[in-house]
Amino acid sequence: MFKRLLLTGTAALFLIGAAPITQQGGATQASPQEVLDAAPASAWMTVSPDDLVVMTLADGHQVTYQLAPDFAPVHVANIRQLVRSGYFDGASILRVQDAYVVQWGRPDEDKTEAKGINPTPPAEYEFALPSGFKALPYRDAYAEQAGHVKSWPVASDGHTAWLIHCYGMIGVARDVAPDTGSGTQLYTAIGHAPRHLDRNLAVVGRVINGMEFLTDRPRGTEELGFYKDDSQRIKIVSAKMAADLPPAERPSFQVMDSDSPAFAAWIKARANRSGAFFVRPAGAVDICNAQAPVRTAQ
Amino acid sequence: MFKRLLLTGTAALFLIGAAPITQQGGATQASPQEVLDAAPASAWMTVSPDDLVVMTLADGHQVTYQLAPDFAPVHVANIRQLVRSGYFDGASILRVQDAYVVQWGRPDEDKTEAKGINPTPPAEYEFALPSGFKALPYRDAYAEQAGHVKSWPVASDGHTAWLIHCYGMIGVARDVAPDTGSGTQLYTAIGHAPRHLDRNLAVVGRVINGMEFLTDRPRGTEELGFYKDDSQRIKIVSAKMAADLPPAERPSFQVMDSDSPAFAAWIKARANRSGAFFVRPAGAVDICNAQAPVRTAQ
C-alpha cells in the first residue's frame, strides 16, 4: 500500500524489504528485517529433509511444505507413506475457496488406493501443553495464550495445546466423522486465519516455500470453491520427500528458532514497527502475524 | 478442508453453504448460514450507489467496492472525484504481494494528472469513538475493543477509534510522509489482517464483490510484489460510480446491519459453530472473522 516503500509482508514466509532505524521514545528500535539480518547463525534451525515435502505442479512451479511430526505423528507418518508410495503423483489441486483454503489430493471419483497407511488415525487435534511453550506477551482473541513451540504457532488453555490455523498452515481434510481424515487430502489456509477450525482438524505442517503458486490459482466455481472437474484442476506431477531427492535437487530451508534471543527481538520489532513510515506502532502482534521467519539454508 | 462438506468461508464476502442444526449443551444452536437465511429484510441495508465503485478489468471481470465516507470523508471525496474524472480508466493493478496486499492505480512513470482533488488530505487514520459502536464480547489482540459501527469493523482504545485492516478492506497508499496519499493508489488486504497498518494509513472502504479477481493474480516479481512493467500488469478498463451507471448495469448489494438482532445472532453463531462437523466450538471470534455479511440486493 506504499507507493514505493520498503516493508515486509504480514506472513514471514518470504523475507524481503528493509527499513531504516529511527528514534522512538528515545530508544533506537530495530525493524523486523534488521533483527533478522543481524541474527546469528545459531538462531536458525535447518529443517530436516525427512520433514520436507516437495510438490511439483504441472506448470513447473514447486511448493515445499514442512511436516510437524512432533504434534501429529500418526497423520505425519501417513503423509510420508503416501508421498513415498507415489499417492500424490498425479493428484490435483481440488479446491480453491477465496479467503479460506486451497485443498489438494485425489477427487472422489479417483479410486487410487492409499497403501500402507493407518486409515483411521487418532484425532491428534490437541496435545499436552509442552514444557517448551513460549507464550507471546500479548492477548490472543481465541485462546488463553498463544505462542510458539519449536517455532510452530501454538495456542493453549493452560492444560492442552494445539497448532493454530494460521495462513500457510496445513491440515488434514476429513468428512463429518472426526476419524475420517487419513492424510489423502490436505489443505492450507489462504486468508485471515480460520481459527474456528483449531482443535477440529489435525494440523500437520506448513507451506514454507512457493505458497504463491497455490494462492494465485483461479477460485473454484463449485460450492466451497471446489473445481468442477479435471478441466479446471491442475495436476500435481509429483510429491517427494526432500530426503529422497538427489542432493543437487534437494531444497534446504531454515526456520528461525523460537527459543532464540533473536526471535524474541523479532517479535518485539513486529509489535513495534519502526522506521520513518510508521506513525503509530501497534504495540502488539497476533500469533498469525508472528509466524517464524523462513530462509533458504545458508 | 472437508472432503465434501458444507461450510462457510472465513470472510463473509460470499454467502455459501449451510449446516444442519445440532444439539449443543442442550440448546439448539443455529449455524451462521441458518441465521442469515432466517434474517428479516429489515436486517439488511442496501449500499448507496453513491458509495459503490465498479471496477472492470481488462479480462472482463468486475470488482465492486464500497466507500466509507463516514470515516474518511476527504479521502472518499477524492476517490469519487478520481473515479468520475476517469483517472482510473486505463490504470492498472500495480502490485500483488502474497499474504499482504493488492495495489492499483497508475505507475510512477505515468504522469496522468489527478484533477480536482485535495492533494494533501488530512490523515483520517482515527476518529472520535462513535456513539453507535458495538463491541464484540470477545478479546481483541490489538485493541482494547473491536466491534462494528454501521457494519464496518472498528477498533477502539475507548477514546478514539479506527477502521481495521481486515481482509478485503481498502486503504490509501502513501509515501513516507503521512500526508502523501491522495487516493490515486489504493490497496486491499489479501492475507491475515495486517493490523500493524491500522492507524498508519487511511482506510476508505472494502471490496464487496469480485475479490477473487484480485487475489487470483500472479504475485509480482519485484520487491514488495510490484509488477515489473506493463507486460506484467493487467489494465483497469474503467472504474465507475454505480450511481452513474444506467439502471440496468448498476449492481446493488446489501450489507447486514450490525445493529440488528440477526447480526448479533450471527456473531454468536460464528463464535460457536454448530453442526455435525465441529467437535469443539471456538467460543470466540475475532473481528476479521466477523465481517458483515454481504448479499446481492433482494
Side-chain angles (χ1 to χ4, degrees):
Chain A
M1 67 295 315
F2 313 100
K3 287 188 175 172
R4 282 281 168 186
L5 198 83
L6 302 176
L7 191 97
T8 54
T10 52
L13 301 174
F14 313 101
L15 311 182
I16 54 171
I21 292 180
T22 187
Q23 292 289 121
Q24 286 192 341
T28 300
Q29 169 73 56
S31 75
Q33 186 61 49
E34 288 167 336
V35 172
L36 296 181
D37 292 343
S42 61
W44 295 92
M45 307 184 296
T46 299
V47 178
S48 166
D50 286 320
D51 294 340
L52 270 188
V53 179
V54 181
M55 184 163 75
T56 303
L57 302 177
D59 61 10
H61 289 304
Q62 287 192 327
V63 179
T64 303
Y65 59 90
Q66 177 186 10
L67 300 170
D70 291 340
F71 303 101
V74 182
H75 284 90
V76 165
N78 270 4
I79 295 167
R80 286 197 183 109
Q81 166 63 17
L82 289 165
V83 168
R84 289 195 155 120
S85 65
Y87 182 83
F88 290 111
D89 303 350
S92 301
I93 308 296
L94 301 175
R95 172 190 185 190
V96 184
Q97 182 173 357
D98 196 62
Y100 204 31
V101 293
V102 172
Q103 185 168 325
W104 63 93
R106 289 182 176 273
D108 293 346
E109 64 271 22
D110 181 334
K111 303 304 181 190
T112 301
E113 190 186 353
K115 293 175 184 163
I117 63 167
N118 179 337
T120 55
E124 296 187 320
Y125 304 161
E126 294 181 68
F127 39 84
L129 179 60
S131 58
F133 176 65
K134 293 235 171 130
L136 290 179
Y138 310 113
R139 287 186 303 270
D140 185 69
Y142 284 87
E144 287 183 35
Q145 290 185 307
H148 297 86
V149 176
K150 295 183 183 177
S151 304
W152 291 91
V154 168
S156 176
D157 60 9
H159 303 286
T160 68
W162 54 93
L163 289 173
I164 296 173
H165 276 85
C166 292
Y167 188 96
M169 292 290 284
I170 295 174
V172 171
R174 65 169 171 88
D175 291 322
V176 171
D179 64 353
T180 49
S182 63
T184 55
Q185 288 190 11
L186 303 173
Y187 63 91
T188 187
I190 62 167
H192 191 70
R195 298 277 304 267
H196 59 286
L197 301 178
D198 291 357
R199 293 193 278 183
N200 284 286
L201 294 114
V203 181
V204 295
R206 62 181 157 202
V207 177
I208 60 172
N209 197 53
M211 182 71 179
E212 68 271 30
F213 304 124
L214 296 177
T215 54
D216 73 356
R217 312 214 72 80
R219 277 46 186 155
T221 57
E222 306 304 292
E223 195 168 36
L224 306 179
F226 277 95
Y227 290 126
K228 188 169 186 176
D229 53 35
D230 274 347
S231 71
Q232 294 186 337
R233 296 176 191 133
I234 185 169
K235 288 280 184 190
I236 297 167
V237 174
S238 69
K240 303 287 181 197
M241 299 305 305
D244 299 343
L245 291 171
E249 297 173 27
R250 192 182 300 163
S252 186
F253 293 96
Q254 295 178 323
V255 176
M256 190 173 237
D257 182 355
S258 57
D259 291 326
S260 68
F263 189 86
W266 177 78
I267 293 286
K268 189 178 172 191
R270 294 277 288 179
N272 301 282
R273 302 295 180 118
S274 65
F277 185 81
F278 285 94
V279 295
R280 189 81 177 235
V285 62
D286 99 335
I287 183 65
C288 291
N289 278 324
Q291 291 200 73
V294 173
R295 68 179 189 183
T296 52
Q298 294 174 10
Chain B
M1 66 299 310
F2 313 99
K3 287 187 172 173
R4 281 280 169 188
L5 198 82
L6 302 177
L7 191 97
T8 55
T10 51
L13 301 174
F14 312 101
L15 311 182
I16 56 170
I21 292 179
T22 187
Q23 292 289 122
Q24 286 192 342
T28 298
Q29 170 72 56
S31 75
Q33 186 62 48
E34 287 166 337
V35 172
L36 296 182
D37 292 343
S42 61
W44 296 91
M45 307 183 298
T46 299
V47 178
S48 167
D50 286 321
D51 294 341
L52 271 188
V53 180
V54 182
M55 183 163 76
T56 303
L57 303 176
D59 60 10
H61 289 304
Q62 286 191 328
V63 179
T64 303
Y65 59 91
Q66 178 186 8
L67 299 171
D70 290 341
F71 304 102
V74 183
H75 284 90
V76 165
N78 270 4
I79 295 167
R80 285 197 185 109
Q81 166 63 17
L82 289 165
V83 167
R84 290 195 155 119
S85 65
Y87 182 83
F88 290 112
D89 303 349
S92 302
I93 308 295
L94 300 175
R95 171 189 185 193
V96 183
Q97 182 173 358
D98 196 62
Y100 204 32
V101 293
V102 172
Q103 185 169 326
W104 62 94
R106 289 183 177 272
D108 292 347
E109 64 270 23
D110 181 334
K111 304 302 182 192
T112 301
E113 190 186 353
K115 293 175 185 163
I117 63 168
N118 179 337
T120 53
E124 296 188 320
Y125 305 161
E126 294 180 68
F127 39 85
L129 178 61
S131 58
F133 176 65
K134 292 236 170 128
L136 289 180
Y138 311 112
R139 285 186 304 270
D140 185 69
Y142 285 87
E144 285 183 38
Q145 290 186 306
H148 297 86
V149 176
K150 297 182 182 177
S151 304
W152 291 91
V154 168
S156 175
D157 60 8
H159 302 287
T160 68
W162 55 93
L163 289 173
I164 297 173
H165 276 86
C166 293
Y167 188 96
M169 293 290 284
I170 295 174
V172 171
R174 64 169 171 88
D175 291 322
V176 171
D179 64 354
T180 49
S182 64
T184 55
Q185 289 189 10
L186 304 173
Y187 65 90
T188 186
I190 63 166
H192 191 71
R195 299 278 304 266
H196 59 286
L197 301 177
D198 292 356
R199 293 193 278 182
N200 285 285
L201 295 114
V203 180
V204 293
R206 61 181 158 203
V207 177
I208 60 171
N209 197 54
M211 183 71 179
E212 67 271 30
F213 304 124
L214 296 177
T215 55
D216 73 356
R217 312 213 72 80
R219 277 46 187 156
T221 57
E222 306 304 291
E223 194 168 37
L224 305 180
F226 277 94
Y227 291 126
K228 188 169 186 176
D229 53 35
D230 274 346
S231 70
Q232 295 186 338
R233 297 176 190 132
I234 185 169
K235 287 279 184 192
I236 297 167
V237 174
S238 69
K240 303 287 181 199
M241 298 306 303
D244 298 344
L245 291 171
E249 297 172 26
R250 194 182 298 162
S252 184
F253 294 96
Q254 294 179 325
V255 176
M256 190 173 236
D257 181 354
S258 57
D259 291 326
S260 68
F263 190 86
W266 177 78
I267 292 288
K268 189 178 172 191
R270 294 278 288 180
N272 301 282
R273 303 292 180 119
S274 65
F277 186 82
F278 285 93
V279 297
R280 189 85 176 230
V285 62
D286 98 337
I287 184 64
C288 290
N289 279 324
Q291 291 200 73
V294 174
R295 67 178 189 183
T296 52
Q298 292 173 13

